[in-house]
Amino acid sequence: MDSVHSTAWGRRRHRDAHLRSIGALACAGAVLFAATQGRAQTAPAPNPFRTVNLNYVYAADLGFGGYSLAGLTANVYTLPLSYSLHGILPDGWTLRLLSPIQLGVYSLNLTDTNGARISINQKSLGLVPGAELDIPLGGRTVVKPFAQFGVVGAFGDDVGNPWAYVFLGGARAISEWHVGETTLSLGNAVVYAGDETVGSGFSEHYVSLQLGGEVRHPLGFSVGNLEPDLGVYANYYYYPAPLQFSRFLEPPLKVENQVEFGFSVGSASPFKLLWLSNPRIGAGVVFGSGLTVWHINFGFPF
């Protein structure tokens, strides 16, 4: 995870057919707050944990959100652009071209061991295009393999090598059942993501195993052609090799398991807003292993 888990937000990333961009939050990479090495007027006490790396890759999987940890505040805002192609593949299959644009905003405010204040601000801008293929299996399950690759640039205070490659790949699957007007969904996924500084420098990668469920039901009224509905969901994330978030003057925080609870609102009947078909939007919170993340979602993230 390249510099500060920038933004935790892929991850759960995802949502309406046109807004769906699994790695939407594609992120930046090898920018790091190495300036923490020595902004003090007098020599700080020796400590092996003096560099704070931004985990942009985590943000890429998360999508749209943020967190605060040990003096670092990381927020990522993603515009999950995509375009769906129909009619060129077998019946029922859909090829979705992804082109998420991500802005990251990071600030680090700390006090060194000698009392000196450290304040650093950076931003990142990235584009990580890719493709997702929706493959129906039976009448209620869709499998969605995907791959993305792009680049992110960073700018602001103390940026060393400002460019990094970002990549994501894996597969998601979602199954749906209808009980009256209620829709029950079960999702699962495996995601491999990583980043690497252009040239030489910091790099990282991780595997995420995900499982979630959602219940969606109409709210019982309509506004014109819109029939609002409400969906609530819970997701579980497991990292076979723990995610690591660096902390100034402290050992890295290792994250092995996280849980997300959230909701989304949309329309129970087909609805189009501008160029978006059946758009949804909601919010959730991801927590566990000492890290809490706020997350804006565009529907059930599978």
Side-chain angles (χ1 to χ4, degrees):
M1 306 185 166
D2 221 64
S3 5
V4 190
H5 245 353
S6 125
T7 77
W9 325 349
R11 221 177 211 73
R12 305 116 173 67
R13 31 259 163 307
H14 313 338
R15 330 118 213 212
D16 137 67
H18 287 288
L19 281 180
R20 225 157 135 135
S21 74
I22 298 182
L25 245 325
C27 27
V31 179
L32 38 79
F33 291 104
T36 57
Q37 294 278 359
R39 285 203 167 188
Q41 295 178 351
T42 60
N47 191 295
F49 306 110
R50 299 193 60 81
T51 296
V52 178
N53 298 307
L54 293 173
N55 271 323
Y56 293 110
V57 143
Y58 177 69
D61 186 27
L62 187 56
F64 197 122
Y67 68 90
S68 295
L69 178 67
L72 169 69
T73 299
N75 294 295
V76 173
Y77 311 96
T78 297
L79 182 61
L81 301 176
S82 67
Y83 181 76
S84 298
L85 300 176
H86 305 275
I88 61 175
L89 297 171
D91 289 345
W93 291 36
T94 299
L95 176 62
R96 185 167 296 106
L97 303 180
L98 311 174
S99 56
I101 299 174
Q102 172 254 329
L103 171 67
V105 179
Y106 318 101
S107 63
L108 187 68
N109 293 284
L110 303 166
T111 299
D112 210 335
T113 53
N114 59 358
R117 291 293 299 166
I118 298 172
S119 181
I120 304 175
N121 295 283
Q122 293 182 6
K123 294 180 177 64
S124 67
L125 184 63
L127 174 64
V128 184
E132 177 186 86
L133 182 61
D134 293 2
I135 305 172
L137 298 178
R140 59 169 54 100
T141 300
V142 178
V143 176
K144 304 178 179 183
F146 72 95
Q148 293 176 247
F149 180 85
V151 66
V152 177
F155 51 97
D157 299 338
D158 301 290
V159 174
N161 188 335
W163 296 98
Y165 299 115
V166 177
F167 52 88
L168 304 95
R172 300 179 184 280
I174 184 170
S175 299
E176 292 187 346
W177 295 265
H178 298 280
V179 181
E181 294 185 313
T182 300
T183 300
L184 306 176
S185 300
L186 176 66
N188 55 79
V190 55
V191 176
Y192 175 75
D195 58 35
E196 183 172 349
T197 303
V198 176
S200 62
F202 186 79
S203 66
E204 62 187 338
H205 61 84
Y206 71 91
V207 174
S208 172
L209 304 180
Q210 307 170 12
L211 176 66
E214 181 194 48
V215 178
R216 195 167 69 244
H217 190 82
L219 294 178
F221 63 90
S222 61
V223 180
N225 296 326
L226 175 66
E227 298 181 36
D229 68 359
L230 173 67
V232 293
Y233 68 86
N235 299 329
Y236 172 70
Y237 307 101
Y238 170 64
Y239 306 96
L243 294 174
Q244 295 197 38
F245 295 79
S246 57
R247 298 178 293 182
F248 188 59
L249 303 181
E250 297 182 55
L253 176 67
K254 295 184 179 181
V255 177
E256 297 181 348
N257 303 274
Q258 286 191 302
V259 175
E260 177 179 6
F261 293 105
F263 73 93
S264 68
V265 294
S267 178
S269 59
F271 173 68
K272 191 164 187 176
L273 177 64
L274 300 176
W275 67 91
L276 304 174
S277 296
N278 301 321
R280 302 189 66 82
I281 189 167
V285 59
V286 185
F287 59 90
S289 298
L291 180 70
T292 300
V293 179
W294 68 269
H295 178 211
I296 298 299
N297 69 72
F298 299 99
F300 190 43
F302 292 94

